Amino acid sequence: IYICMIVLLCGLTLIGGAYKSVNESEKITSQGHQATAYITRVSEYEVYDNDGNISDARDIYIKYEINGVSYKNMIKKAYMYASEHDIGKPVEIYYDGNDPNIISVPDDVKSKVSVKLPLGIVISAIPIVVFLFFTIKYFAQKKPQTENQESDF
């Protein structure tokens, strides 16, 4: 049961991460300050976790102009796809009216949610299904024992 709880918490964490991404993005996009940024560089690299597993990651560097002032920013460990071939391509961004360095990239948020949310739901469902299976199995075995007892009437 402890393993089920840990797996459930992992799934709920992924769902929470997707919700957090959407919530943070909506705070910025609700201000309505939209701009077009251009990809200036894409840096792809491998990341090693604590277990020694390798995964690919990419940072996307963008440049945009707001009220005649040029800004540079980086989408760290981007979920949206971009490669060296995409340099110079436009990317829709939203920025904070008080600080244009704080941005939201709708394409990255959509990609992040499309990965984290379904994965979180599936991972959360596994321990729930296992728990329900064993609970139903347990009560199904208990029920025939009480029905098979004959009365002395």
Side-chain angles (χ1 to χ4, degrees):
I1 203 159
Y2 294 115
I3 293 172
C4 287
M5 294 302 291
I6 291 169
V7 172
L8 180 63
L9 286 174
C10 290
L12 293 176
T13 301
L14 285 170
I15 293 170
Y19 174 76
K20 180 182 175 194
S21 296
V22 169
N23 194 24
E24 288 174 351
S25 177
E26 284 180 354
K27 286 180 184 176
I28 296 171
T29 57
S30 66
Q31 295 179 13
H33 301 291
Q34 183 179 0
T36 300
Y38 295 91
I39 298 173
T40 58
R41 191 173 102 194
V42 177
S43 174
E44 296 185 29
Y45 53 95
E46 293 179 339
V47 178
Y48 295 88
D49 64 12
N50 294 337
D51 297 330
N53 297 325
I54 301 172
S55 63
D56 293 329
R58 82 181 51 82
D59 297 336
I60 301 173
Y61 296 83
I62 59 173
K63 185 177 183 178
Y64 52 100
E65 192 174 299
I66 299 169
N67 299 328
V69 179
S70 184
Y71 295 91
K72 292 181 180 179
N73 215 319
M74 176 180 56
I75 307 166
K76 185 115 178 108
K77 292 186 180 177
Y79 278 79
M80 63 185 262
Y81 179 77
S83 69
E84 293 291 327
H85 300 291
D86 295 320
I87 292 175
K89 288 194 176 178
V91 176
E92 176 188 354
I93 65 166
Y94 286 86
Y95 62 93
D96 186 322
N98 298 324
D99 184 0
N101 287 306
I102 300 173
I103 64 167
S104 175
V105 183
D107 287 343
D108 192 52
V109 173
K110 287 177 194 171
S111 297
K112 191 178 293 187
V113 170
S114 71
V115 170
K116 286 186 173 183
L117 189 60
L119 190 59
I121 290 170
V122 168
I123 289 174
S124 297
I126 292 169
I128 292 170
V129 168
V130 169
F131 178 77
L132 289 175
F133 173 76
F134 284 111
T135 302
I136 291 169
K137 184 178 176 182
Y138 173 77
F139 284 114
Q141 289 175 347
K142 287 289 187 182
K143 193 173 184 178
Q145 292 175 356
T146 57
E147 289 177 356
N148 289 339
Q149 294 176 353
E150 295 181 22
S151 60
D152 291 332
F153 292 112

